[in-house]
Amino acid sequence: MIPRVNQAVILCGGLGSRLGSLTASTPKPLLPVDGRPFLEILIEEIARQGIRRILLLAAFASDQVRDFAAALPAKLGFDMTVELAIEPDRAGTGGAIWHAREQLDDLFYLFNGDSWFDVPLAELARALPADPAVVGALALRRLPEAGRYGVVTLSGGRIDQFAAKAEAGSGPVLVNAGVYLFRRTLVDALSPLCSLEQDGLAVLAAQGRLAGLPADGYFLDIGIPDDYARAQTEIPAHRRRPALFLDRDGVINLDHGHVGSIDRFEWVAGAREAILRANRLGYYVFVVTNQAGIAKGYYTEADYRAVKAHVRAGLAEIGAHIDDERFCPFHVDAAIEAYRRDSDWRKPAPGMLLDLLRRWPVDAGHSLLVGDRDSDLAAAAAAGIAGHLFGGGNLDDFVKPLLTETRA
C-alpha cells in the first residue's frame, strides 16, 4: 500500500539575490506569476493532489508570508490549513527544517518554494522503500545539461552521490528538482545552521539512505531573471489541461438510490483505476453530482462530506486523487425548505461544470464528462464538453479509449 502523506512543507526563506530589485522587499516565492503569487500556484498544485496541510518555513520578510498564509485557504476555496515556522536567524535550508522539527509529521513532502516540478506526488510516495533506514525519496529531473544545478547519480533506485556540478558538455544528467518525501528522521541528519543539500542529503546519499525517482515532467525554477520571465507564459500554458468530469452515483459508486452514508457506498468496478489513469495522463479529475437526497432529508451535508472523505481515502490507497468537486443539494420539491429552489447547478443545467471551468485552467475542447443519465450528457453539452453515457460494467475499461496522454 502507498504510504499516506498529509503534510507539505515548503522552503520560503531564501533571499533571491539573483533576481536583484525584484526581491529587495518581497520573498521570492511571493513574486507574481500570471498575476498571482508563485507560491499560491505551487500550493494549489499540491493541494489538488489531496495534500491539505501546508507548513511554510519562512525567514526573510516573514510578515508577508504570514499574511499570505492567513488569506490562502479562503482564496483557494479548499478545506486546508496553512501554518508557519519562522527561523530565529538565517539558518540555511537544513536549519529551517531543524527549527520546525516539532511541527513535522512522521512523513512529509518538502518543496523548494521557488520552483515547480510537475511530478505526481503519489509516484514519489511509491518510490519510498518500506525500510525505515531510507530517510527519503527525491524527485529527479532529467536534463540534457546540468546548467546551474547540482548533479545526482542513481544506482538501483538509490541515490549514491550529490555532485556540485557536471562539466560543460557532459551530456544528459539527473538533477535534484526540489520535490522530496521525507521521514521525520531526516532531522537527525540536520543541525540548527546547515544546508539541506550539502550537510544532509550528501551524507545520507553516501550512506545509501535516499531513494530517487527520475521523471520528465515540466520543471521551472524562477530563481534567475530569464527563467522568471519565462514563467509568466510557460506556467499558465502548462497548467491548462483537459479534465475528466465524473458523475458520482452510478459512475464512481453503484447507485443504490440516494447514497448518503459510507455503509451504502460501493465502488463501481474499475472506478478507482479509471481516476488513477486520468491522473497519470495529466487530466484534471472533477466530480459533479446532484445530491437531492440532502434536499429530501435522507441525509445531511455532513453525511455527504463524510462519504466524500471516504472516496478520497479509498483513492489515496492506490495513489489516485480527485482535484475538485461540486455538488447540488437543491430541488424544487425539497422536503427541507432551505434547499427548496430551482438551481442552475442541478443537472441537466450546466452550473457545476461552468463553475469548475471558471475556477481551473481547463482545456474544454479536449475535456469529457462520463455520466449514467441523459441529464449528465445534457449538462455537458450545455457547458461545451463532450459527454459519454456509461451503462455499467468496468469504468476503467470504458474510459481507457477516451483518454489521451497530456502530461508533457
Side-chain angles (χ1 to χ4, degrees):
M1 185 179 293
I2 297 172
R4 186 72 184 269
V5 188
N6 298 311
Q7 184 184 47
V9 181
I10 306 177
L11 293 161
C12 303
L15 292 175
S17 56
R18 291 178 296 182
L19 289 169
S21 61
L22 287 170
T23 51
S25 59
T26 302
K28 182 168 45 172
L30 296 186
L31 290 176
V33 170
D34 190 34
R36 304 167 64 191
F38 174 77
L39 186 57
E40 180 181 321
I41 295 172
L42 178 62
I43 292 174
E44 186 171 75
E45 285 294 318
I46 295 167
R48 72 178 184 84
Q49 298 187 58
I51 312 301
R52 301 293 174 81
R53 293 182 52 245
I54 310 296
L55 174 62
L56 305 179
L57 307 187
F60 170 66
S62 60
D63 56 332
Q64 295 182 43
V65 181
R66 188 187 303 278
D67 291 344
F68 167 86
L72 188 64
K75 192 171 183 182
L76 292 184
F78 284 134
D79 180 15
M80 64 188 305
T81 61
V82 185
E83 300 177 316
L84 236 65
I86 300 174
E87 302 168 31
D89 296 297
R90 294 205 55 78
T93 50
I97 298 166
W98 187 90
H99 286 288
R101 63 196 182 279
E102 298 301 328
Q103 293 172 260
L104 301 176
D105 285 0
D106 289 340
L107 272 178
F108 63 94
Y109 290 111
L110 178 73
F111 300 83
N112 290 346
D114 58 358
S115 63
W116 178 35
F117 186 22
D118 186 18
V119 58
L121 297 179
E123 299 304 312
L124 187 57
R126 274 194 184 88
L128 181 67
D131 181 0
V134 180
V135 173
L138 281 63
L140 307 174
R141 182 61 164 88
R142 297 183 181 96
L143 293 178
E145 295 283 347
R148 69 180 190 272
Y149 302 105
V151 175
V152 175
T153 58
L154 191 66
S155 177
R158 299 289 177 93
I159 295 171
D160 51 27
Q161 186 179 16
F162 277 77
K165 284 189 179 180
E167 295 182 6
S170 60
V173 295
L174 290 171
V175 303
N176 175 14
V179 179
Y180 317 82
L181 173 60
F182 285 123
R183 292 187 166 90
R184 190 174 176 275
T185 51
L186 168 70
V187 173
D188 297 337
L190 304 176
S191 65
L193 176 61
C194 70
S195 162
L196 170 65
E197 297 82 359
Q198 296 173 13
D199 302 315
L201 301 185
V203 173
L204 290 170
Q207 297 170 348
R209 300 177 66 195
L210 293 177
L213 174 69
D216 296 314
Y218 176 78
F219 173 66
L220 185 64
D221 179 337
I222 65 169
I224 62 175
D226 286 349
D227 288 345
Y228 177 60
R230 285 199 297 123
Q232 305 303 323
T233 55
E234 285 190 13
I235 286 180
H238 185 76
R239 295 185 73 235
R240 182 175 173 79
R241 61 186 72 188
L244 172 63
F245 293 84
L246 296 172
D247 180 39
R248 200 195 76 174
D249 299 338
V251 177
I252 294 176
N253 57 278
L254 296 178
D255 190 353
H256 297 310
H258 300 299
V259 176
S261 59
I262 293 171
D263 64 293
R264 298 187 69 231
F265 183 92
E266 185 178 355
W267 289 98
V268 162
R272 296 196 304 168
E273 291 77 12
I275 292 169
L276 178 61
R277 181 182 302 279
N279 295 154
R280 287 176 167 174
L281 290 173
Y283 283 72
Y284 294 116
V285 179
F286 301 135
V287 172
V288 285
T289 174
N290 290 346
Q291 290 293 318
I294 297 172
K296 296 176 181 179
Y298 299 148
Y299 51 90
T300 66
E301 288 195 44
D303 294 329
Y304 165 77
R305 288 191 292 271
V307 173
K308 177 180 173 180
H310 176 72
V311 171
R312 291 184 179 273
L315 291 171
E317 289 176 358
I318 65 166
H321 69 271
I322 290 167
D323 295 275
D324 208 348
E325 183 164 339
R326 296 292 183 270
F327 75 103
C328 181
F330 303 107
H331 195 281
V332 292
D333 297 322
I336 298 176
E337 185 175 356
Y339 299 111
R340 191 183 306 137
R341 67 176 176 86
D342 195 11
S343 172
D344 63 2
W345 275 37
R346 180 171 174 78
K347 294 174 290 184
M352 290 188 287
L353 284 80
L354 294 175
D355 191 62
L356 287 163
L357 291 172
R358 286 188 292 265
R359 169 65 179 81
W360 294 92
V362 175
D363 176 359
H366 293 92
S367 296
L368 67 152
L369 175 142
V370 175
D372 67 327
R373 299 190 179 192
D374 290 339
S375 58
D376 297 318
L377 273 58
I385 302 294
H388 298 269
L389 189 65
F390 177 61
N394 187 292
L395 185 65
D396 191 36
D397 291 343
F398 183 83
V399 304
K400 183 177 181 178
L402 303 176
L403 302 179
T404 57
E405 177 71 54
T406 70
R407 191 178 296 279

